[in-house]
Amino acid sequence: MHRFRSSLLSHRRCLHSLQNAGPLCSHLKSRSVIRFSGPDTIKFLQGLLSNDVRRFGEPPREENSPIPTPNVASVVVPPMYAALLTPQGRFLYDLFLYRPPRPEEKLDRTGSGPGNGSGGSVEILADVDNSISDELLATLKKYRLRSKVDIDNVAEDFSCWQRYGRDLSGKTPTVEEPEADSVGWGGGVDSAGKSASHSSDVGWQWFKDPRLDCLGFRGIFPSGTMPPLVESDKETDEENYLMWRLEKGIAEGSTEIPKGEAIPLEYNFAGLNAISFDKGCYVGQELIARTHHRGVIRKRLLPLKFLDNNGKEVEGKVTPGSEVINTASGKKLGSVITALGFRGMGVLRLDDAFKDALTIQGQEDIKVMAIRPDWWPAEWLQDQQHTAVA
């Protein structure tokens, strides 16, 4: 199996390899899995999280499956990205939510008919930051009160994976990879994919990343098993997935998004499909709604490059927390939240972010180049122009 080891390559060569490589796959050891189950699961999560979790309680859409397949659901519910906030609307934790198929939604092991009904019970799996999983469990249980929902750490049973790369960017699963859609909880059947799925007796599948198409596919799979399609793929260290996100300016987890401090809209959560502005009340909703309806976000998370005075990339000299300043005006624009090699991300004021005179405070020989991601909606550019005029 071909592997990219960033420890053996400079980050410059590593990023070039990622940009030109086909599909890559990383086991996300920085992520863990918790499980919600019980009749009040949807109601409980709906009152807590920033996205509209009621979709998991609705009848899922049907997929056209030309061949009945054992343990493969004939219906599918896409995953969802969401956040748990403080009452003041600051970020605490991010969650990727998955609803496994119910027995009545798939054929039994023999392929002869659907399984028995679930009896109204709902189960949701959540992909969460491993470094704060115990803290998150404790927080959730404080909110549970008398709700009929069980919350369990199932990190030993499941693993989180990401599949990404140039050939997966900007395309839908059905156009780019019909075989990925056919493995596990999907529609049609591909013989290679079907054989790969037999390591699990419940059916598992890659899903399009709920945030952006350019991030590829994401999935939760049973621990100790290799996800479908990985055996013919290129497996790579998780650090390379971080490099992929840095290039696109997408933070993930409570390590990169300051817990209790970050404002979700400044970290582009609206553009990452993590916030529903129509769902009604949830913890921290008031600040999110007020900031959104005000219409102007003055600071945003941006991809950064670190350069020397000659415009050459500088590796390993910038650390998280470093202040970015405009040397012409002396103003502080924001700070770096994460850095790897010559790449980083930072939350900067948009009125000065794309000017040439940006440096790291105390390291004025290091120039900072902020990059506008291709995936940004057009209206964010209008916000930027409005902010600059103001």
Side-chain angles (χ1 to χ4, degrees):
M1 182 179 294
H2 193 91
R3 296 176 182 264
F4 287 83
R5 293 288 185 185
S6 57
S7 58
L8 302 179
L9 298 171
S10 72
H11 290 104
R12 185 180 311 167
R13 290 176 56 202
C14 177
L15 181 59
H16 177 76
S17 298
L18 290 174
Q19 291 171 334
N20 292 278
L24 303 173
C25 191
S26 296
H27 175 198
L28 306 182
K29 297 179 182 179
S30 66
R31 307 293 293 187
S32 186
V33 181
I34 62 176
R35 179 175 59 208
F36 303 92
S37 59
D40 289 345
T41 294
I42 300 298
K43 180 180 178 182
F44 173 72
L45 293 175
Q46 181 70 3
L48 284 183
L49 303 183
S50 61
N51 218 330
D52 195 341
V53 187
R54 291 175 298 181
R55 173 158 60 83
F56 289 124
E58 299 172 350
R61 59 186 176 88
E62 294 189 3
E63 297 287 329
N64 294 322
S65 178
I67 304 175
T69 309
N71 302 314
V72 175
S74 60
V75 291
V76 61
V77 180
M80 177 185 298
Y81 188 51
L84 176 60
L85 312 178
T86 69
Q88 294 76 31
R90 306 285 176 158
F91 173 87
L92 279 178
Y93 316 105
D94 65 346
L95 305 90
F96 294 83
L97 303 173
Y98 299 79
R99 202 212 79 179
R102 297 167 181 169
E104 65 268 25
E105 294 170 354
K106 62 184 180 180
L107 303 178
D108 62 19
R109 294 178 64 90
T110 67
S112 60
N116 296 324
S118 58
S121 180
V122 177
E123 180 177 290
I124 301 292
L125 295 177
D127 159 350
V128 303
D129 188 334
N130 185 46
S131 68
I132 49 79
S133 59
D134 290 339
E135 178 185 316
L136 172 57
L137 279 168
T139 301
L140 291 167
K141 289 177 180 179
K142 287 180 182 178
Y143 278 112
R144 180 171 55 182
L145 301 177
R146 296 183 180 179
S147 298
K148 296 179 180 178
V149 54
D150 294 320
I151 308 169
D152 301 300
N153 185 338
V154 291
E156 294 185 2
D157 300 325
F158 298 99
S159 300
C160 304
W161 291 74
Q162 188 85 19
R163 195 163 185 256
Y164 56 100
R166 182 195 61 192
D167 293 343
L168 297 181
S169 298
K171 297 182 180 179
T172 63
T174 53
V175 173
E176 167 59 27
E177 289 198 291
E179 75 275 18
D181 232 15
S182 70
V183 178
W185 306 338
V189 174
D190 170 79
S191 56
K194 182 178 175 182
S195 64
S197 72
H198 285 173
S199 61
S200 168
D201 65 355
V202 292
W204 302 95
Q205 177 187 339
W206 289 107
F207 285 96
K208 184 170 69 173
D209 193 298
R211 296 168 295 179
L212 295 169
D213 286 354
C214 64
L215 290 172
F217 294 82
R218 198 173 183 104
I220 291 176
F221 298 93
S223 296
T225 64
M226 190 64 72
L229 307 175
V230 175
E231 47 273 299
S232 61
D233 215 344
K234 299 173 184 176
E235 184 183 357
T236 179
D237 293 338
E238 184 178 356
E239 191 175 74
N240 290 320
Y241 169 57
L242 171 57
M243 288 292 288
W244 187 254
R245 288 191 292 105
L246 289 178
E247 183 186 7
K248 292 161 177 55
I250 300 169
E252 184 175 297
S254 301
T255 302
E256 296 176 11
I257 310 173
K259 187 162 58 72
E261 300 177 12
I263 297 174
L265 294 181
E266 292 182 352
Y267 281 74
N268 303 325
F269 269 47
L272 299 177
N273 300 312
I275 298 174
S276 169
F277 295 103
D278 303 318
K279 65 169 285 185
C281 295
Y282 58 90
V283 176
Q285 181 259 352
E286 183 179 353
L287 175 66
I288 299 298
R290 185 169 66 247
T291 305
H292 173 69
H293 292 300
R294 189 175 62 198
V296 177
I297 309 298
R298 300 189 182 277
K299 296 191 295 182
R300 286 194 182 274
L301 180 69
L302 292 163
L304 305 175
K305 274 187 180 181
F306 308 120
L307 311 170
D308 63 17
N309 289 322
N310 297 317
K312 293 183 178 180
E313 294 153 348
V314 176
E315 294 195 25
K317 293 189 176 181
V318 179
T319 58
S322 299
E323 293 284 348
V324 178
I325 62 172
N326 183 328
T327 52
S329 65
K331 289 197 307 184
K332 292 183 180 180
L333 305 188
S335 60
V336 177
I337 64 155
T338 188
L340 181 64
F342 64 92
R343 286 277 190 177
M345 290 186 284
V347 178
L348 305 183
R349 290 185 58 86
L350 295 176
D351 51 1
D352 279 345
F354 301 101
K355 295 182 178 179
D356 294 332
L358 307 190
T359 64
I360 298 295
Q361 187 175 35
Q363 297 175 281
E364 281 71 17
D365 57 329
I366 298 178
K367 308 303 179 185
V368 178
M369 177 188 293
I371 303 166
R372 183 183 63 82
D374 293 337
W375 61 268
W376 271 27
E379 57 264 28
W380 289 5
L381 298 180
Q382 297 170 1
D383 290 349
Q384 174 193 335
Q385 294 167 357
H386 181 275
T387 300
V389 171

